Amino acid sequence: MRIIGVDTGGTFTDLIYKDGEAWKVHKLLSTPSNPAEAVLAGLAAVAPEAGRMVVHGSTVATNAILERKGVRTALVTNDRFTDVIVIGRQNRSRLYDLAYRHESPIVPEELRFGAPGRINSAGEELEPLTEEDAKRVADLVRESGAESVAVCLLFSFARPEHEQRLGQALAGLGIPVSLSHEIVSEFREFERMSTTVVNAYVSPKMHRYLSFLEDRLFEGDSLRIMQSNGGSISAATAMHESVRTILSGPAGGVVGALEIGTLAGHPKLITFDMGGTSSDVALMDGALSLTMESSISGYPVKTPMIDIHTVGAGGGSIAAVDAGGSLTVGPESAGADPGPICYGKGSDITVTDANLFLGRLIPEHFLGGNMELDLKALDKPFAEMSAKLGLTPVELAEGILAVANANMERAIRVISVERGFDPREFTLFSFGGAGGLHAASLAKLLNMEKVFIPKNPGILSAVGMLLADIVKDYSHTVMFEAAACTPATISEALAPLEARGSEDLAAEGVEPERMTFERYLDMRYEGQSYEILTPFDPDAADIGTVVEAFHELHERTYGYRNQAKPVQVVNVRLRARGTPIKPTFAKMELAGETPPEAADLGEREVIFDDVALPTRVYRREELKAGNVIPGPAVLVEYTSTLLVPPYATAVVDEYENLILTIS
């Protein structure tokens, strides 16, 4: 069995695979019109025979929502509640925008259908829903021409019979049906409805994409999909619950960063993943940071996700002059086709072009020498834009990088400073194809002392997919008063979720001895609107231990605790985890501070702060553990190019990671 991790990005598709005892990498340009074509081409190049176990991170669900290219979706809910999906919470993301208008809803009014029947908050039936009622609703959905349908009834998490009856009637239409109690078995009808609608909107797209892949794999191959929560699931599950794959690719990178960073002694990390189209940042204080309150394109998604913040700043981000005559960079990207000017087809200046213009990319060593860059093609575009702005071409190139860096700095401040964390206490873990060119500059802007760049940083998201466990998340609303609970009460509420988790992991091929279960409670002070995720130990002596843990988490999050206020347990949560075969990382022996001659590729001029400085160029693959590289220097490798500015010094650690110290 050959194990392969595949990450599809906006510009490149990355693969990591095991060949004998060695792990190897492969990159190729993505195919935006059909991402599966690049995936299949990559698989054919690295493993042309049957017996492949593929773990894949996909952007299909994300792009379908962002680009509004999902399928025609219907919504079935209770009579007189069909407008909940539009009314929402009345939150305004742009409070001071006088011209603000809500985006048009995913489900238009003519595709929203009310069904009779009513369940109350205690799970009691107030009004019945008959099979005839369900059939009438199904007939209306059929006549609407919907290609997918979401069903979300009030309090279905407490008693799902009405949703199940509608699901049975709708199944006869031959279109995908998403039931809210299966997607999110929790209270708050708007968030549950929104999550179910998003799932219904993207699942047919994901089903077509994954079916296209599976139909072209060999018999005996297996395909798993990365989830937003840092774990993987089977392709069959991903087709049905596609909403769980929205942050599929970025989640793989964060998982890989935590595993590799912790192994090398750096558990407190701010991850910085800069690809061709965007940059993703996350903060981890020794563990994955999960959130239950995410949104995409303005729609709440109440499934567990790694807390990742994204900005439209990548190597392919386009530089332009706005109406006021100022330089802008992104969020529009040149993507893989046509790509940056230096790739040979593009016409818009990008961040990658600016790095090449300043000498920070080495044309003959880009992508391991498999893709040569065209430096001369940059002369005319840079001359024209710099004249328009009243700058020299060099000032323009450095300005482009400064604007891009400022955008990424703000993103890091959102997940650190704005949440009470001091970036100086963390190591900046940089990866992605373009990250190594900007990481040191970002660290300096944020006063961070250390930058961590792993081996093969350009394919770390694919590595993370192979490091990810098989993870299934479950939740259920219970609304317990903590004072009236015991650990046994909570364990009893968790028992059905544990049984379901064991069954689902077994169906995913996980053996019992490789299963673990993590238990959590959503807790809050009485009267609060939002909860804090609190770990639960079923062996706790009494509930007071759990309540004290909640108080501590509340104080850490909000700066205070209220011991006198009653505490509620709102939801119980279970994370069922299966451990697959994973890559291992060998520790290398130290070989001295001086890089070997085979690593030295000579010297060339690179521009820093408008000054051309003599800069050593090294082949990273030839560097040994313990080698010290003072700045300025450029390190080239197959998946990325790394910059060590004059104010930094790099050291190769025992796991072949590059550790930069910023002075």
Side-chain angles (χ1 to χ4, degrees):
M1 179 70 71
R2 177 165 286 188
I3 305 169
I4 307 168
V6 186
D7 176 40
T8 301
T11 305
F12 286 101
T13 294
D14 306 325
L15 297 92
I16 178 170
Y17 60 102
K18 193 171 186 180
D19 188 4
E21 294 302 313
W23 289 92
K24 297 184 178 180
V25 300
H26 182 71
K27 289 178 78 78
L28 69 163
L29 285 171
S30 295
T31 49
S33 60
N34 182 1
E37 292 178 359
V39 174
L40 293 168
L43 291 174
V46 305
E49 299 177 352
R52 303 171 295 190
M53 186 176 79
V54 181
V55 186
H56 177 30
S58 167
T59 59
V60 170
T62 314
N63 293 341
I65 300 170
L66 294 177
E67 298 172 7
R68 291 301 185 94
K69 292 182 178 177
V71 302
R72 182 175 171 84
T73 301
L75 169 64
V76 176
T77 186
N78 297 87
D79 276 335
R80 302 180 298 281
F81 284 84
T82 54
D83 290 334
V84 166
I85 191 66
V86 179
I87 296 169
R89 294 288 176 193
Q90 293 290 296
N91 295 336
R92 298 185 183 183
S93 58
R94 299 194 297 276
L95 189 61
Y96 301 105
D97 184 353
L98 299 180
Y100 175 73
R101 291 290 183 274
H102 277 292
E103 289 192 35
S104 57
I106 287 178
V107 182
E109 186 175 3
E110 65 271 16
L111 289 176
R112 301 196 292 266
F113 304 97
R118 186 72 177 270
I119 302 293
N120 70 9
S121 60
E124 300 164 341
E125 185 179 73
L126 300 181
E127 179 187 335
L129 172 72
T130 66
E131 291 186 8
E132 290 73 20
D133 293 330
K135 186 178 183 305
R136 279 195 295 272
V137 172
D139 289 340
L140 291 173
V141 173
R142 177 189 289 109
E143 293 167 7
S144 74
E147 301 171 74
S148 182
V149 58
V151 181
C152 183
L153 303 181
L154 293 174
F155 305 110
S156 62
F157 59 87
R159 185 171 175 178
E161 285 95 331
H162 286 191
E163 275 196 5
Q164 291 167 341
R165 189 163 296 144
L166 283 166
Q168 291 167 0
L170 291 163
L173 304 184
I175 61 176
V177 180
S178 298
L179 305 179
S180 74
H181 74 275
E182 295 179 349
I183 305 299
V184 184
S185 187
E186 298 179 27
F187 83 135
R188 293 198 174 103
E189 65 277 5
F190 170 57
E191 287 78 9
R192 180 160 48 89
M193 183 182 292
S194 174
T195 305
T196 308
V197 164
V198 168
N199 188 75
Y201 186 66
V202 302
S203 285
K205 285 271 188 178
M206 182 65 89
H207 190 283
R208 286 197 287 269
Y209 174 75
L210 294 179
S211 296
F212 182 90
L213 276 177
E214 285 196 316
D215 290 347
R216 287 157 180 78
L217 295 178
F218 298 121
E219 186 176 348
D221 289 349
S222 67
L223 177 63
R224 304 192 59 77
I225 306 301
M226 192 69 187
Q227 297 181 88
S228 308
N229 64 6
S232 67
I233 49 177
S234 66
T237 304
M239 290 178 191
H240 180 61
E241 300 179 20
S242 303
V243 70
R244 300 186 184 277
T245 69
I246 286 173
L247 290 180
S248 183
V254 176
V255 170
L258 181 62
E259 291 270 355
I260 294 170
T262 302
L263 178 66
H266 297 265
K268 292 171 71 73
L269 300 171
I270 291 176
T271 62
F272 165 55
D273 175 9
M274 184 177 180
T277 304
S278 61
S279 292
D280 304 307
V281 298
L283 183 145
M284 295 179 291
D285 194 354
L288 291 177
S289 178
L290 294 175
T291 179
M292 311 298 163
E293 306 293 339
S294 300
S295 67
I296 181 165
S297 196
Y299 285 88
V301 176
K302 199 170 174 58
T303 57
M305 295 188 186
I306 296 176
D307 195 0
I308 297 172
H309 184 63
T310 302
V311 291
S317 293
I318 293 172
V321 181
D322 68 13
S326 297
L327 177 65
T328 64
V329 180
E332 186 180 357
S333 173
D337 187 10
I341 294 171
C342 62
Y343 284 12
K345 292 190 292 182
S347 57
D348 295 307
I349 295 175
T350 66
V351 172
T352 295
D353 295 317
N355 275 308
L356 177 61
F357 191 85
L358 295 172
R360 301 178 183 191
L361 283 172
I362 313 301
E364 62 271 24
H365 292 287
F366 188 76
L367 203 60
N370 294 317
M371 181 178 177
E372 191 165 341
L373 304 178
D374 188 350
L375 177 59
K376 289 189 178 299
L378 303 181
D379 291 342
K380 183 179 178 183
F382 271 83
E384 291 175 350
M385 183 178 282
S386 61
K388 187 183 299 184
L389 289 165
L391 303 171
T392 67
V394 168
E395 288 172 336
L396 170 62
E398 293 199 307
I400 291 170
L401 300 188
V403 173
N405 288 341
N407 291 337
M408 295 181 289
E409 178 198 0
R410 282 194 295 272
I412 291 175
R413 290 189 182 278
V414 167
I415 54 101
S416 58
V417 177
E418 293 184 15
R419 298 181 185 178
F421 294 97
D422 187 344
R424 294 173 297 182
E425 298 176 2
F426 293 78
T427 297
L428 185 64
F429 191 111
S430 172
F431 58 103
L437 289 167
H438 296 259
S441 297
L442 277 178
K444 191 170 182 65
L445 287 169
L446 293 158
N447 294 315
M448 299 176 72
E449 184 182 344
K450 298 288 184 183
V451 174
F452 186 117
I453 305 177
K455 185 178 180 181
N456 292 316
I459 52 99
L460 186 75
S461 290
V463 174
M465 289 164 198
L466 297 186
L467 290 170
D469 291 334
I470 298 165
V471 176
K472 309 283 284 187
D473 283 307
Y474 308 91
S475 61
H476 187 66
T477 295
V478 292
M479 288 295 183
F480 292 153
E481 298 297 327
C485 280
T486 66
T489 307
I490 295 171
S491 294
E492 184 178 350
L494 281 163
L497 305 186
E498 293 174 11
R500 185 178 164 195
S502 297
E503 182 179 337
D504 288 351
L505 284 180
E508 298 269 358
V510 180
E511 298 172 351
E513 61 271 18
R514 302 181 75 87
M515 297 180 187
T516 57
F517 300 96
E518 300 168 6
R519 302 160 182 87
Y520 300 92
L521 308 178
D522 287 352
M523 303 180 73
R524 68 182 183 186
Y525 291 123
E526 187 177 62
Q528 284 185 319
S529 297
Y530 295 97
E531 300 78 46
I532 290 179
L533 188 68
T534 307
F536 170 69
D537 181 0
D539 297 324
D542 55 57
I543 198 65
T545 306
V546 183
V547 172
E548 177 58 27
F550 163 73
H551 286 311
E552 291 176 0
L553 286 169
H554 194 281
E555 185 173 21
R556 187 186 310 166
T557 305
Y558 298 110
Y560 75 98
R561 63 167 68 197
N562 190 342
Q563 299 279 161
K565 192 79 171 174
V567 175
Q568 294 178 317
V569 177
V570 176
N571 301 310
V572 292
R573 293 188 182 277
L574 178 76
R575 167 164 280 211
R577 188 186 296 274
T579 307
I581 300 171
K582 300 183 181 183
T584 56
F585 301 93
K587 199 171 185 179
M588 312 300 291
E589 292 186 9
L590 296 177
E593 294 186 359
T594 304
E597 289 185 12
D600 195 337
L601 294 174
E603 188 176 272
R604 64 180 63 205
E605 288 189 341
V606 177
I607 298 172
F608 298 93
D609 296 327
D610 208 26
V611 178
L613 298 178
T615 302
R616 303 303 303 180
V617 180
Y618 295 95
R619 192 189 304 276
R620 185 177 181 184
E621 291 89 342
E622 299 293 338
L623 295 175
K624 307 298 181 185
N627 288 175
V628 177
I629 300 97
V634 173
L635 282 68
V636 297
E637 59 174 303
Y638 177 66
T639 69
S640 186
T641 299
L642 319 176
L643 182 70
V644 184
Y647 50 80
T649 300
V651 177
V652 182
D653 76 0
E654 293 174 296
Y655 292 97
E656 298 183 277
N657 304 303
L658 201 68
I659 313 297
L660 275 64
T661 301
I662 310 299
S663 58

